[in-house]
Amino acid sequence: MSAAGDSRVIWDSDDISRALKRIAHHILESNKGGDDLLLLGIRTRGVPLAHRLGAAIAQAEADVPVGELDITMYRDDLRRNPTRAVGPTRVPVSVDGRTVVLVDDVLFSGRTIAAAMEALKDLGRPKAIRLAVLIDRGRRELPIQADYVGKDLPTAPDEHVRVTLAETDGEDLVTIVSAKGA
Amino acid sequence: MRHLLSAADLSRDEVVSLLDVAEEMHEVQRRPIKKIPALRGRTIINMFFEDSTRTRSSFEIAGKWMSADTINVSGKGSSVSKGESLRDTMMTLDAMGVDCFVIRHGSSGAVAQAAGWVKAHVVNAGDGQHEHPTQALLDAYTMRRHFRDQRLAEGFAGKRIAIVGDLLHSRVVRSNVLLQRTLGGQVTLVAPPTLLPTGVERWGVNVTSDFDSVLERADVVMMLRVQRERMSGGFFPTAREYATDYGLTPQRLARLKPTAAIMHPGPMNRGVEISSEAADAASSRVLDQVSAGVAVRMSVLYHLLGGEGEAR
């Protein structure tokens, strides 16, 4: 476990798997099955999470398409920073008429999700957009709420929630890192 | 990146980043709704002092798809034709708060000079016989995709690229040579001795007048347009003779490797530098080049204007 300074491990791999399984069932329940669903992972860590959710849904019910969404060009702070690299957007089916579930690791200010909704609008007209996140750490700057949450984790402003995943970082962990101890 | 004036200004990392982002822009190009907000609120002026349809449209579309406001100014009908200097025209437009100038000019070096007068970013869209860096980038992009499609090892290192035709009057060739020097492609220039630029021996590439000698080993054959106005200039005897010696005829086409790409920056003179058989061959990448033009220019504009630049 990486517990340097003031970092606290909140969840390990098993906790993450359980949460994703729960979210998968929740999605199927509220959608009344897997019809017309599309899971879109927000890059970077939303993508493996969306694939894991897709696998959990497939195990429980049926295959659903999974894609990835890069929101770099939709960020509202694009101009304030040096030019950012753009990642791929891969949407395997048309979003028109589907219930699109956006998937991300941490919900914080809500700006990433706002950008993702704008990006989605340029891809077509979904029937509905839902949001699934592994961790909701609060401190929203925009009126955005997740439909499916793995864990509510209220944090102080100087705390940072770090999600690492086997696919991107080598191990599954959710850690709170305090700025003082980071 | 402050400006894009010459293919020589780009580091290898910058070229790779430009080509990578172009891949994502190409994805935008295939969407039903071709619009992203990346350059919202930015203003781009296309200043074309020479006639051009494809390059100007391609820059204009690139800017518009990224939500920039694009304005076209041509030499004719502008204050330049009333006698105002290019410098004053540029500075006037710059004072209006323009973010980027895309300039095509008949004089070699004019664009680089203009970049010194303005606070905005400047892109060279072709200056005289000097350079056309976005064309070289879109050529590189097309080649990279071709190598990938043909399962040739990705990357340019060691790939043999033959550029054939009127090298003397071509700005495309200069930018391509400079860019391939950065990327590691092996360029061979093929032209009649009368159409070789002076000093070409110092460009660090192979030069030959024997097209047939390079055919069998080339991974890319890039044919350049014979400008009709040159035909009466004594550079070569007749169009027919040129086609026999330097045209990509059906006979030469048959000798190319099956994986070799045929490229042409357009517009093509069918039957002169390129036969219809070659232009329409399965390995022809000519239309891919046109389509890549928009994606690559989107990437260039994104790199210049997408983040906090050094300009205003």
mmCIF file with all atom_site columns, all heavy atoms in Angstrom, chain A residues 73-74 78-79 81 83-84 86-88 118 122-123, chain B residues 24 33 35-37 40 42 302-303 306-308:
data_model
loop_
_atom_site.group_PDB
_atom_site.id
_atom_site.type_symbol
_atom_site.label_atom_id
_atom_site.label_alt_id
_atom_site.label_comp_id
_atom_site.label_asym_id
_atom_site.label_entity_id
_atom_site.label_seq_id
_atom_site.pdbx_PDB_ins_code
_atom_site.Cartn_x
_atom_site.Cartn_y
_atom_site.Cartn_z
_atom_site.occupancy
_atom_site.B_iso_or_equiv
_atom_site.pdbx_formal_charge
_atom_site.auth_seq_id
_atom_site.auth_comp_id
_atom_site.auth_asym_id
_atom_site.auth_atom_id
_atom_site.pdbx_PDB_model_num
ATOM 1   N N   . MET A 1 73  ? -10.701 19.099 -26.015 1.00 0.00 ? 73  MET A N   1
ATOM 2   C CA  . MET A 1 73  ? -11.037 20.276 -26.817 1.00 0.00 ? 73  MET A CA  1
ATOM 3   C C   . MET A 1 73  ? -12.316 20.964 -26.343 1.00 0.00 ? 73  MET A C   1
ATOM 4   O O   . MET A 1 73  ? -12.712 21.976 -26.889 1.00 0.00 ? 73  MET A O   1
ATOM 5   C CB  . MET A 1 73  ? -11.127 19.881 -28.279 1.00 0.00 ? 73  MET A CB  1
ATOM 6   C CG  . MET A 1 73  ? -9.738  19.594 -28.836 1.00 0.00 ? 73  MET A CG  1
ATOM 7   S SD  . MET A 1 73  ? -9.756  19.073 -30.535 1.00 0.00 ? 73  MET A SD  1
ATOM 8   C CE  . MET A 1 73  ? -10.450 17.461 -30.398 1.00 0.00 ? 73  MET A CE  1
ATOM 9   N N   . TYR A 1 74  ? -12.940 20.395 -25.333 1.00 0.00 ? 74  TYR A N   1
ATOM 10  C CA  . TYR A 1 74  ? -14.168 20.983 -24.792 1.00 0.00 ? 74  TYR A CA  1
ATOM 11  C C   . TYR A 1 74  ? -13.957 21.606 -23.417 1.00 0.00 ? 74  TYR A C   1
ATOM 12  O O   . TYR A 1 74  ? -14.900 22.085 -22.810 1.00 0.00 ? 74  TYR A O   1
ATOM 13  C CB  . TYR A 1 74  ? -15.258 19.901 -24.704 1.00 0.00 ? 74  TYR A CB  1
ATOM 14  C CG  . TYR A 1 74  ? -15.681 19.415 -26.066 1.00 0.00 ? 74  TYR A CG  1
ATOM 15  C CD1 . TYR A 1 74  ? -14.983 18.423 -26.715 1.00 0.00 ? 74  TYR A CD1 1
ATOM 16  C CD2 . TYR A 1 74  ? -16.782 19.985 -26.713 1.00 0.00 ? 74  TYR A CD2 1
ATOM 17  C CE1 . TYR A 1 74  ? -15.351 17.995 -27.977 1.00 0.00 ? 74  TYR A CE1 1
ATOM 18  C CE2 . TYR A 1 74  ? -17.160 19.559 -27.964 1.00 0.00 ? 74  TYR A CE2 1
ATOM 19  C CZ  . TYR A 1 74  ? -16.436 18.563 -28.590 1.00 0.00 ? 74  TYR A CZ  1
ATOM 20  O OH  . TYR A 1 74  ? -16.812 18.148 -29.839 1.00 0.00 ? 74  TYR A OH  1
ATOM 21  N N   . LEU A 1 78  ? -9.189  25.548 -21.588 1.00 0.00 ? 78  LEU A N   1
ATOM 22  C CA  . LEU A 1 78  ? -8.251  25.192 -22.664 1.00 0.00 ? 78  LEU A CA  1
ATOM 23  C C   . LEU A 1 78  ? -7.254  26.315 -22.950 1.00 0.00 ? 78  LEU A C   1
ATOM 24  O O   . LEU A 1 78  ? -6.063  26.090 -23.096 1.00 0.00 ? 78  LEU A O   1
ATOM 25  C CB  . LEU A 1 78  ? -9.056  24.848 -23.927 1.00 0.00 ? 78  LEU A CB  1
ATOM 26  C CG  . LEU A 1 78  ? -8.314  24.177 -25.069 1.00 0.00 ? 78  LEU A CG  1
ATOM 27  C CD1 . LEU A 1 78  ? -7.766  22.832 -24.631 1.00 0.00 ? 78  LEU A CD1 1
ATOM 28  C CD2 . LEU A 1 78  ? -9.250  23.968 -26.255 1.00 0.00 ? 78  LEU A CD2 1
ATOM 29  N N   . ARG A 1 79  ? -7.794  27.534 -23.019 1.00 0.00 ? 79  ARG A N   1
ATOM 30  C CA  . ARG A 1 79  ? -6.940  28.656 -23.412 1.00 0.00 ? 79  ARG A CA  1
ATOM 31  C C   . ARG A 1 79  ? -5.985  29.097 -22.328 1.00 0.00 ? 79  ARG A C   1
ATOM 32  O O   . ARG A 1 79  ? -5.016  29.802 -22.592 1.00 0.00 ? 79  ARG A O   1
ATOM 33  C CB  . ARG A 1 79  ? -7.806  29.845 -23.815 1.00 0.00 ? 79  ARG A CB  1
ATOM 34  C CG  . ARG A 1 79  ? -8.411  29.662 -25.172 1.00 0.00 ? 79  ARG A CG  1
ATOM 35  C CD  . ARG A 1 79  ? -9.308  30.805 -25.505 1.00 0.00 ? 79  ARG A CD  1
ATOM 36  N NE  . ARG A 1 79  ? -8.557  32.024 -25.757 1.00 0.00 ? 79  ARG A NE  1
ATOM 37  C CZ  . ARG A 1 79  ? -9.051  33.035 -26.457 1.00 0.00 ? 79  ARG A CZ  1
ATOM 38  N NH1 . ARG A 1 79  ? -10.259 32.972 -26.956 1.00 0.00 ? 79  ARG A NH1 1
ATOM 39  N NH2 . ARG A 1 79  ? -8.342  34.115 -26.647 1.00 0.00 ? 79  ARG A NH2 1
ATOM 40  N N   . ASN A 1 81  ? -4.124  27.255 -20.448 1.00 0.00 ? 81  ASN A N   1
ATOM 41  C CA  . ASN A 1 81  ? -3.008  26.338 -20.229 1.00 0.00 ? 81  ASN A CA  1
ATOM 42  C C   . ASN A 1 81  ? -2.230  26.137 -21.523 1.00 0.00 ? 81  ASN A C   1
ATOM 43  O O   . ASN A 1 81  ? -2.726  26.435 -22.597 1.00 0.00 ? 81  ASN A O   1
ATOM 44  C CB  . ASN A 1 81  ? -3.556  24.989 -19.746 1.00 0.00 ? 81  ASN A CB  1
ATOM 45  C CG  . ASN A 1 81  ? -4.154  25.116 -18.352 1.00 0.00 ? 81  ASN A CG  1
ATOM 46  O OD1 . ASN A 1 81  ? -3.448  25.312 -17.392 1.00 0.00 ? 81  ASN A OD1 1
ATOM 47  N ND2 . ASN A 1 81  ? -5.472  25.050 -18.275 1.00 0.00 ? 81  ASN A ND2 1
ATOM 48  N N   . THR A 1 83  ? -0.862  24.207 -24.739 1.00 0.00 ? 83  THR A N   1
ATOM 49  C CA  . THR A 1 83  ? -1.617  23.303 -25.602 1.00 0.00 ? 83  THR A CA  1
ATOM 50  C C   . THR A 1 83  ? -1.553  21.876 -25.067 1.00 0.00 ? 83  THR A C   1
ATOM 51  O O   . THR A 1 83  ? -0.479  21.363 -24.768 1.00 0.00 ? 83  THR A O   1
ATOM 52  C CB  . THR A 1 83  ? -1.041  23.340 -27.025 1.00 0.00 ? 83  THR A CB  1
ATOM 53  O OG1 . THR A 1 83  ? -0.985  24.699 -27.424 1.00 0.00 ? 83  THR A OG1 1
ATOM 54  C CG2 . THR A 1 83  ? -1.918  22.563 -27.991 1.00 0.00 ? 83  THR A CG2 1
ATOM 55  N N   . ARG A 1 84  ? -2.716  21.267 -24.925 1.00 0.00 ? 84  ARG A N   1
ATOM 56  C CA  . ARG A 1 84  ? -2.772  19.923 -24.376 1.00 0.00 ? 84  ARG A CA  1
ATOM 57  C C   . ARG A 1 84  ? -2.824  18.889 -25.495 1.00 0.00 ? 84  ARG A C   1
ATOM 58  O O   . ARG A 1 84  ? -3.407  19.145 -26.540 1.00 0.00 ? 84  ARG A O   1
ATOM 59  C CB  . ARG A 1 84  ? -4.051  19.739 -23.556 1.00 0.00 ? 84  ARG A CB  1
ATOM 60  C CG  . ARG A 1 84  ? -4.116  20.580 -22.316 1.00 0.00 ? 84  ARG A CG  1
ATOM 61  C CD  . ARG A 1 84  ? -5.546  20.610 -21.836 1.00 0.00 ? 84  ARG A CD  1
ATOM 62  N NE  . ARG A 1 84  ? -5.709  21.552 -20.737 1.00 0.00 ? 84  ARG A NE  1
ATOM 63  C CZ  . ARG A 1 84  ? -5.623  21.228 -19.454 1.00 0.00 ? 84  ARG A CZ  1
ATOM 64  N NH1 . ARG A 1 84  ? -5.361  19.992 -19.107 1.00 0.00 ? 84  ARG A NH1 1
ATOM 65  N NH2 . ARG A 1 84  ? -5.789  22.130 -18.512 1.00 0.00 ? 84  ARG A NH2 1
ATOM 66  N N   . VAL A 1 86  ? -4.252  15.764 -27.405 1.00 0.00 ? 86  VAL A N   1
ATOM 67  C CA  . VAL A 1 86  ? -5.639  15.332 -27.592 1.00 0.00 ? 86  VAL A CA  1
ATOM 68  C C   . VAL A 1 86  ? -5.648  13.810 -27.686 1.00 0.00 ? 86  VAL A C   1
ATOM 69  O O   . VAL A 1 86  ? -4.859  13.232 -28.413 1.00 0.00 ? 86  VAL A O   1
ATOM 70  C CB  . VAL A 1 86  ? -6.212  15.934 -28.887 1.00 0.00 ? 86  VAL A CB  1
ATOM 71  C CG1 . VAL A 1 86  ? -7.658  15.500 -29.089 1.00 0.00 ? 86  VAL A CG1 1
ATOM 72  C CG2 . VAL A 1 86  ? -6.121  17.447 -28.848 1.00 0.00 ? 86  VAL A CG2 1
ATOM 73  N N   . GLY A 1 87  ? -6.531  13.173 -26.939 1.00 0.00 ? 87  GLY A N   1
ATOM 74  C CA  . GLY A 1 87  ? -6.623  11.721 -26.987 1.00 0.00 ? 87  GLY A CA  1
ATOM 75  C C   . GLY A 1 87  ? -7.744  11.288 -27.915 1.00 0.00 ? 87  GLY A C   1
ATOM 76  O O   . GLY A 1 87  ? -8.510  12.120 -28.398 1.00 0.00 ? 87  GLY A O   1
ATOM 77  N N   . PRO A 1 88  ? -7.845  10.000 -28.154 1.00 0.00 ? 88  PRO A N   1
ATOM 78  C CA  . PRO A 1 88  ? -8.873  9.525  -29.087 1.00 0.00 ? 88  PRO A CA  1
ATOM 79  C C   . PRO A 1 88  ? -10.280 9.538  -28.497 1.00 0.00 ? 88  PRO A C   1
ATOM 80  O O   . PRO A 1 88  ? -10.460 9.362  -27.294 1.00 0.00 ? 88  PRO A O   1
ATOM 81  C CB  . PRO A 1 88  ? -8.449  8.088  -29.397 1.00 0.00 ? 88  PRO A CB  1
ATOM 82  C CG  . PRO A 1 88  ? -7.567  7.685  -28.278 1.00 0.00 ? 88  PRO A CG  1
ATOM 83  C CD  . PRO A 1 88  ? -6.967  8.917  -27.692 1.00 0.00 ? 88  PRO A CD  1
ATOM 84  N N   . GLU A 1 118 ? -21.063 18.486 -23.440 1.00 0.00 ? 118 GLU A N   1
ATOM 85  C CA  . GLU A 1 118 ? -20.948 19.298 -24.652 1.00 0.00 ? 118 GLU A CA  1
ATOM 86  C C   . GLU A 1 118 ? -20.352 18.463 -25.798 1.00 0.00 ? 118 GLU A C   1
ATOM 87  O O   . GLU A 1 118 ? -20.814 18.519 -26.938 1.00 0.00 ? 118 GLU A O   1
ATOM 88  C CB  . GLU A 1 118 ? -20.077 20.527 -24.381 1.00 0.00 ? 118 GLU A CB  1
ATOM 89  C CG  . GLU A 1 118 ? -20.395 21.658 -25.328 1.00 0.00 ? 118 GLU A CG  1
ATOM 90  C CD  . GLU A 1 118 ? -19.451 22.843 -25.151 1.00 0.00 ? 118 GLU A CD  1
ATOM 91  O OE1 . GLU A 1 118 ? -18.959 23.060 -24.037 1.00 0.00 ? 118 GLU A OE1 1
ATOM 92  O OE2 . GLU A 1 118 ? -19.219 23.531 -26.148 1.00 0.00 ? 118 GLU A OE2 1
ATOM 93  N N   . ASP A 1 122 ? -22.052 17.085 -29.694 1.00 0.00 ? 122 ASP A N   1
ATOM 94  C CA  . ASP A 1 122 ? -21.476 17.148 -31.043 1.00 0.00 ? 122 ASP A CA  1
ATOM 95  C C   . ASP A 1 122 ? -21.459 15.777 -31.720 1.00 0.00 ? 122 ASP A C   1
ATOM 96  O O   . ASP A 1 122 ? -21.199 15.682 -32.918 1.00 0.00 ? 122 ASP A O   1
ATOM 97  C CB  . ASP A 1 122 ? -20.050 17.707 -30.989 1.00 0.00 ? 122 ASP A CB  1
ATOM 98  C CG  . ASP A 1 122 ? -20.055 19.220 -30.835 1.00 0.00 ? 122 ASP A CG  1
ATOM 99  O OD1 . ASP A 1 122 ? -21.150 19.813 -30.951 1.00 0.00 ? 122 ASP A OD1 1
ATOM 100 O OD2 . ASP A 1 122 ? -18.988 19.803 -30.598 1.00 0.00 ? 122 ASP A OD2 1
ATOM 101 N N   . LEU A 1 123 ? -21.680 14.737 -30.961 1.00 0.00 ? 123 LEU A N   1
ATOM 102 C CA  . LEU A 1 123 ? -21.678 13.393 -31.553 1.00 0.00 ? 123 LEU A CA  1
ATOM 103 C C   . LEU A 1 123 ? -23.077 12.958 -31.955 1.00 0.00 ? 123 LEU A C   1
ATOM 104 O O   . LEU A 1 123 ? -23.257 11.987 -32.674 1.00 0.00 ? 123 LEU A O   1
ATOM 105 C CB  . LEU A 1 123 ? -21.103 12.381 -30.558 1.00 0.00 ? 123 LEU A CB  1
ATOM 106 C CG  . LEU A 1 123 ? -19.624 12.534 -30.210 1.00 0.00 ? 123 LEU A CG  1
ATOM 107 C CD1 . LEU A 1 123 ? -19.239 11.590 -29.087 1.00 0.00 ? 123 LEU A CD1 1
ATOM 108 C CD2 . LEU A 1 123 ? -18.748 12.264 -31.421 1.00 0.00 ? 123 LEU A CD2 1
ATOM 109 N N   . GLU B 2 24  ? -6.841  12.594 -34.486 1.00 0.00 ? 24  GLU B N   1
ATOM 110 C CA  . GLU B 2 24  ? -8.089  12.834 -33.747 1.00 0.00 ? 24  GLU B CA  1
ATOM 111 C C   . GLU B 2 24  ? -8.964  13.832 -34.503 1.00 0.00 ? 24  GLU B C   1
ATOM 112 O O   . GLU B 2 24  ? -10.181 13.745 -34.484 1.00 0.00 ? 24  GLU B O   1
ATOM 113 C CB  . GLU B 2 24  ? -7.789  13.327 -32.328 1.00 0.00 ? 24  GLU B CB  1
ATOM 114 C CG  . GLU B 2 24  ? -6.888  12.397 -31.516 1.00 0.00 ? 24  GLU B CG  1
ATOM 115 C CD  . GLU B 2 24  ? -7.259  10.932 -31.641 1.00 0.00 ? 24  GLU B CD  1
ATOM 116 O OE1 . GLU B 2 24  ? -8.467  10.619 -31.701 1.00 0.00 ? 24  GLU B OE1 1
ATOM 117 O OE2 . GLU B 2 24  ? -6.346  10.089 -31.690 1.00 0.00 ? 24  GLU B OE2 1
ATOM 118 N N   . ILE B 2 33  ? -21.735 15.710 -37.250 1.00 0.00 ? 33  ILE B N   1
ATOM 119 C CA  . ILE B 2 33  ? -21.655 17.125 -36.860 1.00 0.00 ? 33  ILE B CA  1
ATOM 120 C C   . ILE B 2 33  ? -20.184 17.488 -36.746 1.00 0.00 ? 33  ILE B C   1
ATOM 121 O O   . ILE B 2 33  ? -19.503 17.080 -35.806 1.00 0.00 ? 33  ILE B O   1
ATOM 122 C CB  . ILE B 2 33  ? -22.356 17.369 -35.508 1.00 0.00 ? 33  ILE B CB  1
ATOM 123 C CG1 . ILE B 2 33  ? -23.792 16.864 -35.564 1.00 0.00 ? 33  ILE B CG1 1
ATOM 124 C CG2 . ILE B 2 33  ? -22.317 18.855 -35.124 1.00 0.00 ? 33  ILE B CG2 1
ATOM 125 C CD1 . ILE B 2 33  ? -24.461 16.764 -34.217 1.00 0.00 ? 33  ILE B CD1 1
ATOM 126 N N   . LYS B 2 35  ? -18.028 19.820 -35.805 1.00 0.00 ? 35  LYS B N   1
ATOM 127 C CA  . LYS B 2 35  ? -17.802 21.075 -35.092 1.00 0.00 ? 35  LYS B CA  1
ATOM 128 C C   . LYS B 2 35  ? -17.314 20.772 -33.691 1.00 0.00 ? 35  LYS B C   1
ATOM 129 O O   . LYS B 2 35  ? -17.939 19.999 -32.964 1.00 0.00 ? 35  LYS B O   1
ATOM 130 C CB  . LYS B 2 35  ? -19.141 21.829 -35.017 1.00 0.00 ? 35  LYS B CB  1
ATOM 131 C CG  . LYS B 2 35  ? -19.015 23.300 -34.733 1.00 0.00 ? 35  LYS B CG  1
ATOM 132 C CD  . LYS B 2 35  ? -18.808 24.079 -36.011 1.00 0.00 ? 35  LYS B CD  1
ATOM 133 C CE  . LYS B 2 35  ? -18.959 25.573 -35.812 1.00 0.00 ? 35  LYS B CE  1
ATOM 134 N NZ  . LYS B 2 35  ? -18.578 26.279 -37.043 1.00 0.00 ? 35  LYS B NZ  1
ATOM 135 N N   . ILE B 2 36  ? -16.186 21.353 -33.323 1.00 0.00 ? 36  ILE B N   1
ATOM 136 C CA  . ILE B 2 36  ? -15.720 21.253 -31.943 1.00 0.00 ? 36  ILE B CA  1
ATOM 137 C C   . ILE B 2 36  ? -15.400 22.669 -31.470 1.00 0.00 ? 36  ILE B C   1
ATOM 138 O O   . ILE B 2 36  ? -15.114 23.544 -32.280 1.00 0.00 ? 36  ILE B O   1
ATOM 139 C CB  . ILE B 2 36  ? -14.488 20.336 -31.811 1.00 0.00 ? 36  ILE B CB  1
ATOM 140 C CG1 . ILE B 2 36  ? -13.387 20.760 -32.784 1.00 0.00 ? 36  ILE B CG1 1
ATOM 141 C CG2 . ILE B 2 36  ? -14.860 18.881 -32.020 1.00 0.00 ? 36  ILE B CG2 1
ATOM 142 C CD1 . ILE B 2 36  ? -12.088 20.049 -32.541 1.00 0.00 ? 36  ILE B CD1 1
ATOM 143 N N   . PRO B 2 37  ? -15.475 22.923 -30.163 1.00 0.00 ? 37  PRO B N   1
ATOM 144 C CA  . PRO B 2 37  ? -15.349 24.303 -29.699 1.00 0.00 ? 37  PRO B CA  1
ATOM 145 C C   . PRO B 2 37  ? -13.922 24.745 -29.393 1.00 0.00 ? 37  PRO B C   1
ATOM 146 O O   . PRO B 2 37  ? -13.733 25.806 -28.809 1.00 0.00 ? 37  PRO B O   1
ATOM 147 C CB  . PRO B 2 37  ? -16.189 24.287 -28.414 1.00 0.00 ? 37  PRO B CB  1
ATOM 148 C CG  . PRO B 2 37  ? -16.040 22.903 -27.901 1.00 0.00 ? 37  PRO B CG  1
ATOM 149 C CD  . PRO B 2 37  ? -15.821 22.003 -29.079 1.00 0.00 ? 37  PRO B CD  1
ATOM 150 N N   . ARG B 2 40  ? -13.059 28.421 -30.091 1.00 0.00 ? 40  ARG B N   1
ATOM 151 C CA  . ARG B 2 40  ? -14.159 29.366 -29.966 1.00 0.00 ? 40  ARG B CA  1
ATOM 152 C C   . ARG B 2 40  ? -13.617 30.729 -29.513 1.00 0.00 ? 40  ARG B C   1
ATOM 153 O O   . ARG B 2 40  ? -12.816 30.800 -28.584 1.00 0.00 ? 40  ARG B O   1
ATOM 154 C CB  . ARG B 2 40  ? -15.159 28.836 -28.932 1.00 0.00 ? 40  ARG B CB  1
ATOM 155 C CG  . ARG B 2 40  ? -16.486 29.522 -28.955 1.00 0.00 ? 40  ARG B CG  1
ATOM 156 C CD  . ARG B 2 40  ? -17.547 28.679 -28.310 1.00 0.00 ? 40  ARG B CD  1
ATOM 157 N NE  . ARG B 2 40  ? -17.104 28.138 -27.009 1.00 0.00 ? 40  ARG B NE  1
ATOM 158 C CZ  . ARG B 2 40  ? -17.689 27.123 -26.411 1.00 0.00 ? 40  ARG B CZ  1
ATOM 159 N NH1 . ARG B 2 40  ? -18.707 26.521 -26.960 1.00 0.00 ? 40  ARG B NH1 1
ATOM 160 N NH2 . ARG B 2 40  ? -17.256 26.702 -25.237 1.00 0.00 ? 40  ARG B NH2 1
ATOM 161 N N   . ARG B 2 42  ? -11.710 32.671 -31.233 1.00 0.00 ? 42  ARG B N   1
ATOM 162 C CA  . ARG B 2 42  ? -10.455 33.039 -31.915 1.00 0.00 ? 42  ARG B CA  1
ATOM 163 C C   . ARG B 2 42  ? -10.771 33.508 -33.326 1.00 0.00 ? 42  ARG B C   1
ATOM 164 O O   . ARG B 2 42  ? -11.718 33.019 -33.946 1.00 0.00 ? 42  ARG B O   1
ATOM 165 C CB  . ARG B 2 42  ? -9.525  31.824 -31.992 1.00 0.00 ? 42  ARG B CB  1
ATOM 166 C CG  . ARG B 2 42  ? -9.189  31.225 -30.651 1.00 0.00 ? 42  ARG B CG  1
ATOM 167 C CD  . ARG B 2 42  ? -8.117  32.032 -29.969 1.00 0.00 ? 42  ARG B CD  1
ATOM 168 N NE  . ARG B 2 42  ? -7.639  31.364 -28.764 1.00 0.00 ? 42  ARG B NE  1
ATOM 169 C CZ  . ARG B 2 42  ? -6.453  31.616 -28.217 1.00 0.00 ? 42  ARG B CZ  1
ATOM 170 N NH1 . ARG B 2 42  ? -5.656  32.496 -28.764 1.00 0.00 ? 42  ARG B NH1 1
ATOM 171 N NH2 . ARG B 2 42  ? -6.093  30.992 -27.125 1.00 0.00 ? 42  ARG B NH2 1
ATOM 172 N N   . TYR B 2 302 ? -4.777  24.179 -33.935 1.00 0.00 ? 302 TYR B N   1
ATOM 173 C CA  . TYR B 2 302 ? -4.953  23.816 -32.520 1.00 0.00 ? 302 TYR B CA  1
ATOM 174 C C   . TYR B 2 302 ? -3.642  24.000 -31.751 1.00 0.00 ? 302 TYR B C   1
ATOM 175 O O   . TYR B 2 302 ? -3.627  24.526 -30.645 1.00 0.00 ? 302 TYR B O   1
ATOM 176 C CB  . TYR B 2 302 ? -5.445  22.365 -32.414 1.00 0.00 ? 302 TYR B CB  1
ATOM 177 C CG  . TYR B 2 302 ? -5.537  21.881 -30.990 1.00 0.00 ? 302 TYR B CG  1
ATOM 178 C CD1 . TYR B 2 302 ? -6.560  22.318 -30.156 1.00 0.00 ? 302 TYR B CD1 1
ATOM 179 C CD2 . TYR B 2 302 ? -4.583  21.022 -30.467 1.00 0.00 ? 302 TYR B CD2 1
ATOM 180 C CE1 . TYR B 2 302 ? -6.642  21.893 -28.835 1.00 0.00 ? 302 TYR B CE1 1
ATOM 181 C CE2 . TYR B 2 302 ? -4.649  20.592 -29.148 1.00 0.00 ? 302 TYR B CE2 1
ATOM 182 C CZ  . TYR B 2 302 ? -5.675  21.027 -28.343 1.00 0.00 ? 302 TYR B CZ  1
ATOM 183 O OH  . TYR B 2 302 ? -5.743  20.614 -27.037 1.00 0.00 ? 302 TYR B OH  1
ATOM 184 N N   . HIS B 2 303 ? -2.540  23.574 -32.350 1.00 0.00 ? 303 HIS B N   1
ATOM 185 C CA  . HIS B 2 303 ? -1.251  23.720 -31.664 1.00 0.00 ? 303 HIS B CA  1
ATOM 186 C C   . HIS B 2 303 ? -0.872  25.189 -31.471 1.00 0.00 ? 303 HIS B C   1
ATOM 187 O O   . HIS B 2 303 ? -0.246  25.553 -30.486 1.00 0.00 ? 303 HIS B O   1
ATOM 188 C CB  . HIS B 2 303 ? -0.139  23.001 -32.438 1.00 0.00 ? 303 HIS B CB  1
ATOM 189 C CG  . HIS B 2 303 ? -0.062  21.544 -32.116 1.00 0.00 ? 303 HIS B CG  1
ATOM 190 N ND1 . HIS B 2 303 ? -0.934  20.628 -32.657 1.00 0.00 ? 303 HIS B ND1 1
ATOM 191 C CD2 . HIS B 2 303 ? 0.751   20.841 -31.280 1.00 0.00 ? 303 HIS B CD2 1
ATOM 192 C CE1 . HIS B 2 303 ? -0.637  19.424 -32.181 1.00 0.00 ? 303 HIS B CE1 1
ATOM 193 N NE2 . HIS B 2 303 ? 0.370   19.528 -31.344 1.00 0.00 ? 303 HIS B NE2 1
ATOM 194 N N   . GLY B 2 306 ? -4.700  26.688 -29.553 1.00 0.00 ? 306 GLY B N   1
ATOM 195 C CA  . GLY B 2 306 ? -5.515  25.928 -28.606 1.00 0.00 ? 306 GLY B CA  1
ATOM 196 C C   . GLY B 2 306 ? -5.175  26.209 -27.154 1.00 0.00 ? 306 GLY B C   1
ATOM 197 O O   . GLY B 2 306 ? -6.023  26.095 -26.283 1.00 0.00 ? 306 GLY B O   1
ATOM 198 N N   . GLY B 2 307 ? -3.947  26.575 -26.881 1.00 0.00 ? 307 GLY B N   1
ATOM 199 C CA  . GLY B 2 307 ? -3.549  26.840 -25.498 1.00 0.00 ? 307 GLY B CA  1
ATOM 200 C C   . GLY B 2 307 ? -3.033  28.254 -25.351 1.00 0.00 ? 307 GLY B C   1
ATOM 201 O O   . GLY B 2 307 ? -3.152  29.065 -26.259 1.00 0.00 ? 307 GLY B O   1
ATOM 202 N N   . GLU B 2 308 ? -2.510  28.518 -24.205 1.00 0.00 ? 308 GLU B N   1
ATOM 203 C CA  . GLU B 2 308 ? -1.958  29.847 -23.945 1.00 0.00 ? 308 GLU B CA  1
ATOM 204 C C   . GLU B 2 308 ? -0.683  30.003 -24.757 1.00 0.00 ? 308 GLU B C   1
ATOM 205 O O   . GLU B 2 308 ? 0.345   29.429 -24.418 1.00 0.00 ? 308 GLU B O   1
ATOM 206 C CB  . GLU B 2 308 ? -1.647  29.987 -22.455 1.00 0.00 ? 308 GLU B CB  1
ATOM 207 C CG  . GLU B 2 308 ? -1.171  31.340 -22.062 1.00 0.00 ? 308 GLU B CG  1
ATOM 208 C CD  . GLU B 2 308 ? -2.343  32.247 -21.720 1.00 0.00 ? 308 GLU B CD  1
ATOM 209 O OE1 . GLU B 2 308 ? -3.241  32.438 -22.566 1.00 0.00 ? 308 GLU B OE1 1
ATOM 210 O OE2 . GLU B 2 308 ? -2.359  32.762 -20.621 1.00 0.00 ? 308 GLU B OE2 1
#
